[in-house]
Every structure is written in C-alpha cells, then in structure tokens.
C-alpha cells in the first residue's frame, strides 16, 4: 500500500505540475486547466503548474472583494470554497497524505539519514491560526488605499511558493533578480527552515503551518473516506503509535485531525484487524483483511 | 434481563452515514453558485499572471 501511495503522490505531483514547455516559453502555463483548484498546496505561479492553488485563489478573491462588489460582482470565494470543501468532505486529510506535492517533498526530505525528532503536540494548533489570520482575516481586512487586500500567506510565509515559483522564476527570468529584496530573503529563510526541519521531523509544515491542511483537518470527523477503529478488536498494544508519520495515537484518538490516512497503522502495525478504511460508515477493507486474518489463523 | 435488539439488525452492523453526503452536497452547491456567478473566470485570470509579490519578488 505504501508503494501505491508513493505512486499516487508522484502521479498527482505530475498532474499538478505537468507543463513541461516552461524552459522554452520561460513563462507559466496559461491554459484552461488553471481554472481547476489543485487538491494540494501547489503554487500557481510555478512555471510547471497546470492548476490553481486554492489557498492563493481564496486570498486573492477575499482581498479583491471590495473591488468586486463595487463593480457589481459577488465574488466571495464560493467556487474555491466549494472546491476545497468538496475535496475535504470526500477525502479529508487523505489528500495531504496522497496528493499534496509539498507534503511528498517533505516526506522525501525526511528520508535523508539524520537524527529524528518529534514535533511538540501543541504546535499543531498554529496552522488553524495561520488559516484564520493570514488566509482569511488579513486579506479581507488589511487593505490598501484602493481597497485591495494582499495575499498575506503567499506573500509572507508560503515555502511552497518560494520553492516552486520564486526560485524557478528567478532562474528563468534573470531580470527579476534585480527586484530581490528583504521579502524574498525572509521567505527564503522560512523555506530553508522548514526544509531542514523536514529532514529531522516528519512533515513539519503540514503539521504546524499549512492552512490547507488546517482546512481539511476540519473534516476529520465527517469526511466520506476515513479510518475507523474497532474498539472491540483493539488491544491497546500501541503498535499504531510507532508507525504514524504524523504522531497520531490512533487507538486513543481515532478521529485525530492530524491523520492523513497514509494507512501505515492499518497495513504495517495493527495485527488485530482493528483499523479499517470506511466509506460513509461502510467498511472498505474489512473483507480482505478478515480473509487474511483467517488465512493466518488456519496456517497457525 | 435480556438486551433489547431490533429484529433483522445485526449487532455492530455497519450503517450508512448520510451526514458526510449532505455536507458534500452543501459544498457542491457552493461550487455551483461560484460557477454561476462567474468566479472561475476570475480565478483563471489570477492564475494566468505571475504574482510576483506572492512569491516574494518585487
């Protein structure tokens, strides 16, 4: 299953960044696919990006809400919120584990041999503050003399934007290098810090600062696809704690908002068939695992 | 004392949860509202331009 997940991550990353003509055009993709909101965090100013970043689009729509209303357009971000909510409602944070290019990049960084450290549990709440403050409130309320708000998260924080768009565009368009200033360097420091952190801890950006992850986390108890714990079968052996890349103690909090449904606990840890994948409350994996368990029992 | 049980229902039988479906329908309605008022065009306009300040340049 882990092999399948890696392949899904590669394919998803390629689908969201499949414009390979950029070295020749030296510009970003400007085709019709850009109307589609990417499921994961993927900067739409990346030269290879084929889709829009939902967080970037939402900030732009909220920042331009006064201008839109003044011109009789009711652009409140319905389309982007609808896209994000539909994906979140269906998959929840499974998207983070299976389809987010930046999450995949952090997983690759974490494979670099080094000492590994846990991330303090309390830091997980920071990403909700980032979502509320930098994606919603500041773009909406902190406006310039024309009534336009800035995309605060993209402008001041987003390490995916620096990595996927800032650096490649500087390489493709040398004239941009003259415009570099404190803003770029501060974002470069943030990106570097998260990259170094990702080597020693698993997915730090997803767990601490990702506003899209925070939005999807709101669906952890109600998404269509989710993991379920069978309390009757669970022996509290805590084997699921050891394999979880997000630090979730699944047997203690099966609806944990940090769970990215990578299925490591179900496939690599639980020997008691206590964890199943369910679709609207109906088990998706029970039959196969039951068969495997029966086969193991009869072999014993 | 015997435990009450509904006839025809197995104990711990999986039950179809409808609330996630209603929630998805709500967001589908939001999405369609956005499409109806022309928001995708605005999203595409933004996505076609390089947002320099967004990426920390300029």
């Amino acid at each position: 299953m882990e092999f399948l997940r890696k392949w899904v991550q590669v394919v998803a990353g390629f689908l969201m960044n499949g414009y390979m003509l950029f070295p020749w055009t030296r510009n970003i993709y400007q085709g019709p696919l850009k109307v589609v909101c990417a499921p994961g965090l993927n900067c739409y100013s990346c030269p290879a990006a084929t889709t829009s970043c939902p967080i970037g689009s939402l900030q732009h729509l909220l920042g331009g809400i006064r201008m839109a209303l003044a011109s009789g357009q009711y652009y409140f971000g319905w389309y982007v919120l609808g896209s994000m909510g539909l994906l979140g409602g269906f998959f929840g944070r499974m998207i983070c584990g299976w389809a987010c290019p930046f999450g995949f990049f952090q997983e690759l960084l974490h494979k670099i041999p080094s000492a590994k450290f846990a991330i303090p549990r309390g830091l997980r709440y920071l990403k909700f503050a980032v979502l509320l403050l930098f994606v919603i409130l500041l773009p909406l309320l902190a406006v310039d003399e024309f009534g336009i708000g800035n995309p605060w998260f993209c402008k001041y924080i987003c390490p995916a934007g620096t990595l996927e768009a800032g650096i490649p565009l500087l390489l493709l368009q040398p004239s941009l290098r003259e415009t570099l200033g404190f803003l770029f360097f501060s974002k470069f420091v943030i990106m570097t810090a998260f990259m170094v952190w990702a080597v020693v801890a698993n997915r730090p950006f997803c767990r601490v600062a990702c506003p899209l992850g925070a939005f999807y986390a709101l669906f952890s108890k109600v998404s269509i696809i989710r993991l379920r714990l069978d309390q009757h079968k669970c022996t509290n052996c805590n084997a699921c704690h050891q394999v979880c890349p997000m630090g979730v103690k699944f047997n203690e909090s099966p609806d944990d908002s940090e769970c990215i449904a990578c299925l490591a606990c179900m496939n690599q840890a639980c020997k008691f068939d206590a964890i199943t994948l369910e679709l609207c409350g109906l088990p998706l994996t029970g039959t196969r695992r039951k068969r495997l368990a029966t086969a193991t029992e009869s072999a014993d | 004392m015997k435990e009450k049980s509904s006839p025809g229902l197995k104990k711990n039988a999986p039950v179809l949860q409808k609330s996630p479906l209603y929630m998805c329908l709500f967001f589908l309605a939001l999405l369609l509202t956005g499409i109806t008022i022309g928001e995708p065009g605005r999203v595409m306009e933004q996505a076609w331009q390089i947002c320099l300040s967004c990426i920390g340049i300029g």
Side-chain angles (χ1 to χ4, degrees):
Chain A
M1 192 59 85
E2 185 60 15
F3 182 73
L4 174 69
R5 190 174 74 91
K6 285 280 173 278
W7 269 106
V8 172
Q9 285 176 309
V10 169
V11 171
F14 183 75
L15 286 175
M16 285 179 240
N17 297 287
Y19 180 64
M20 291 301 152
L21 294 177
F22 71 86
W24 293 276
T25 63
R26 294 187 171 267
N27 206 346
I28 62 171
Y29 168 72
Q30 291 175 321
L33 283 175
K34 273 270 170 89
V35 77
V36 178
C37 286
L41 196 74
N42 194 69
C43 185
Y44 53 24
S45 287
C46 168
T50 52
T51 51
S52 293
C53 172
I55 292 295
S57 300
L58 187 63
Q59 289 170 91
H60 273 292
L61 284 167
L62 292 177
I65 214 164
R66 287 171 181 78
M67 288 282 279
L69 285 174
S71 55
Q73 296 164 324
Y74 298 94
Y75 295 161
F76 292 104
W78 306 126
Y79 171 71
V80 182
L81 266 179
S83 300
M84 288 163 65
L86 207 54
L87 285 165
F90 204 94
F91 297 104
R93 286 200 78 181
M94 191 178 201
I95 292 166
C96 307
W98 290 70
C100 179
F102 198 65
F104 182 44
F105 176 66
Q106 289 172 88
E107 280 185 11
L108 295 178
L109 286 176
H110 194 62
K111 289 189 184 300
I112 296 172
S114 72
K116 306 294 178 191
F117 300 95
I119 295 175
R121 199 172 163 79
L123 288 179
R124 58 161 61 184
Y125 301 108
L126 194 63
K127 61 179 173 290
F128 295 100
V130 171
L131 173 66
L132 187 67
L133 199 66
F134 284 83
V135 177
I136 298 170
L137 292 180
L138 286 170
L140 199 59
L141 302 175
V143 293
D144 61 16
E145 66 268 32
F146 304 108
I148 298 173
N150 273 314
W152 282 67
F153 174 73
C154 300
K155 190 171 179 177
Y156 297 105
I157 299 177
C158 188
T162 314
L163 181 74
E164 298 169 8
I167 294 170
L169 282 171
L170 284 174
L171 295 173
L172 287 172
Q173 300 183 10
S175 59
L176 289 176
R177 292 174 203 166
E178 292 160 17
T179 63
L180 288 183
F182 175 75
L183 189 59
F184 181 80
F185 288 109
S186 66
K187 281 194 71 183
F188 189 82
V189 169
I190 291 173
M191 181 200 73
T192 310
F194 273 113
M195 283 170 64
V196 173
W197 198 3
V199 175
V200 297
N202 215 327
R203 286 177 170 254
F205 180 73
C206 310
R207 292 161 77 177
V208 172
C210 181
L212 191 56
F215 181 81
Y216 290 146
L218 301 175
F219 298 88
S220 60
K221 287 181 173 60
V222 286
S223 61
I224 287 181
I225 296 182
R226 52 202 280 256
L227 284 174
R228 190 176 74 91
L229 177 74
D230 188 334
Q231 300 279 6
H232 300 291
K233 291 180 181 171
C234 179
T235 60
N236 288 316
C237 67
N238 296 342
C240 50
H241 299 195
Q242 313 303 322
V243 295
C244 183
M246 300 294 278
V248 173
K249 297 175 176 175
F250 193 77
N251 60 329
E252 292 169 17
S253 56
D255 291 326
D256 199 297
S257 60
E258 292 300 289
C259 175
I260 56 169
C262 66
L263 311 183
C265 53
M266 188 179 90
N267 290 316
Q268 296 166 26
C270 189
K271 294 174 183 167
F272 305 99
D273 203 22
I275 304 170
T276 49
L277 194 63
E278 66 172 28
L279 183 83
C280 277
L282 306 176
L284 274 178
T285 51
T287 315
R288 189 185 68 85
R289 291 182 67 79
K290 205 173 276 181
R291 200 167 57 235
L292 280 174
T294 315
T296 316
E297 274 170 19
S298 51
D300 291 342
Chain B
M1 193 175 171
K2 270 190 174 178
E3 196 180 321
K4 281 185 183 177
S5 62
S6 312
L9 265 181
K10 283 181 186 173
K11 200 180 176 185
N12 292 332
V15 180
L16 178 73
Q17 292 171 353
K18 290 179 184 165
S19 50
L21 296 173
Y22 294 137
M23 194 185 51
C24 282
L25 280 177
F26 168 73
F27 282 107
L28 182 65
L30 273 190
L31 179 81
L32 294 175
T33 306
I35 291 173
T36 309
I37 62 172
E39 259 184 11
R42 183 79 192 101
V43 168
M44 201 145 72
E45 267 175 41
Q46 290 160 356
W48 278 353
Q49 297 161 11
I50 300 173
C51 175
L52 292 177
S53 65
C54 301
I55 54 180
I57 301 171

